[in-house]
Amino acid sequence: MTLPSPARLLCAALLSFGLLGSAVPAMANDAVPAAPPSTAPAPPSTAPTSPATVAPRQALESATLPATAPEAPVPAETVPATEKRAAAAEPSTVKPSEAAAGASPPAASPAPNEVTSFVPDLNWNPLNDPGSNARYGEHFAQPVTPLKTASPLGLDDAGGSAAIAPRSGTFKVTLVTVQLSGKTVADTDAINMTAARNSITGANAYWNSASAGRLSITKVNELRHKSAAKITDSYGTIMATVTKELNWQYRSYESLVIFVPHADLNYNGSWGILGGGFTDSATSGRVIMPYPSALTNNVVTHEFGHVLGLHHANSLACSNGRVDAERTGSSWGNSGCWSSEYSDMSDLMGYAQVSSPMINAFLWEYGGFGSGDEIRNIGTPSNKQQYTLRPWGGTDRQRALKFTDPVSKEVYYLELRAPVGFDRTAAVGGNQGVKITKQDILGWSGNASVVLTPNSSLSGYSNRALTWKAGQSFVTHSGTRVEITSTTFPTNQADAASAVVTITPPTMTPAAAMSAISSVVAGSPQLGGAKSEVQCGLVGGGCYQNFV
């Protein structure tokens, strides 16, 4: 296993879902350890699926926290959550997004029992809020805290192998409701604690299942805290302030989850953030959430994915329609391709949604989930072979497979998405079928995935056609063909679904090409000596070798 560089060990990951505009998300504003910028050009601004150009903003200041802070008593402003407070007033009609622009005349402080924020009911889905100005957000780098232990977040030398060793333990959660500066007791009382607790229960059900019962998440403490942070602060600043005020200790298998009294959060004045997750080590992290809504269970579960070291589930978008591209460091080898962040709508680590689909096979293996027998490794194919896939949301052994391309050496993952388990409401329509993923260029230490779709000219929140159907064929950028030979989805028996795939390696490999090239060289002494090894992967499956 290759550990990350010291620079990475000095950073924690701050990631989040994002709602930009009035209240509806199309992309997230995340702050994560910076990856080298891609050299691929941004997609044309006229393309409806390309990220919008947003003026750059100043990154947040790093929060300075003690690496080994001593134990301290709970601050005087922090009280047990069970302490009786004044009853909340009727919710006001204040809009979810409160802009902080411009100074205003001093106003009288609200009464403690006055609700100053819009309080959504639990059926409110920000995704359906009309009149929004949904757009893609920016991706910022922001160091937040030093990691307290060496976090094994580096992909090891065996392509596609688990980068994080299987973990086993119970995450003990401290749940804190925070009264922010300028907010009232009634605002904080309006946080629906039943929904907040249920979101932790939901995250536990998901990750306990994904880890084959090795990981669990349980609430062990519940507090009320009065903070100096303001709702107009960026959400990373709020979390940093509360973390310091609580003198939070970064212990293994402990997590801090805070809820603040507002319908959404902001990043540098851009409102609509649904929640933020902070990776502090492979077994420690924090989550910040606004008022509960219809998306809270999904968002908290997603944020715990970040706590567990995962980045995002993205899609490959190409203006030229290419279905695959070579990964060359921090960029794609094809200039018309880019990573559309969050655009894997069939994955928990993609865009926010009411359901919580299962993470894909690449992220599954990266995070060391499952029992280790869910993904069949067929190695490097040398001849044409057929394989059967079973529903990825099910429990069958070797239900998915991975292979190493014989030319590029990139690792590809194949899984069948059917309405089974956590996929029961997401694997429908265009998201029902064979899903193909590999490591993305985004993220750090190889912890982001990219889905390879039949139509890469479509991407974004509205693209729900991510899988391959019977009769279609996917071809890697170096020539390996994956044919979806057949799919079966029995009515009223989703767990009996199956797909047969046929994998055919390129007809020309370096070894085979060497023989053909050698015969040509033998009759052409003027070529001189060879200057390179035989290289394959040309369009059409060709190979070449350079000579003096």
Side-chain angles (χ1 to χ4, degrees), residues 285-299:
R286 296 160 293 149
V287 174
I288 181 172
M289 294 293 297
Y291 279 134
S293 71
L295 300 179
T296 297
N297 285 356
N298 169 280
V299 176

Side-chain angles (χ1 to χ4, degrees), residues 60-72:
L60 293 177
E61 293 183 359
S62 304
T64 303
L65 299 177
T68 54
E71 288 287 354

Side-chain angles (χ1 to χ4, degrees), residues 486-502:
S486 66
T487 56
T488 303
F489 298 99
T491 304
N492 300 324
Q493 199 176 358
D495 56 355
S498 64
V500 175
V501 297
T502 303

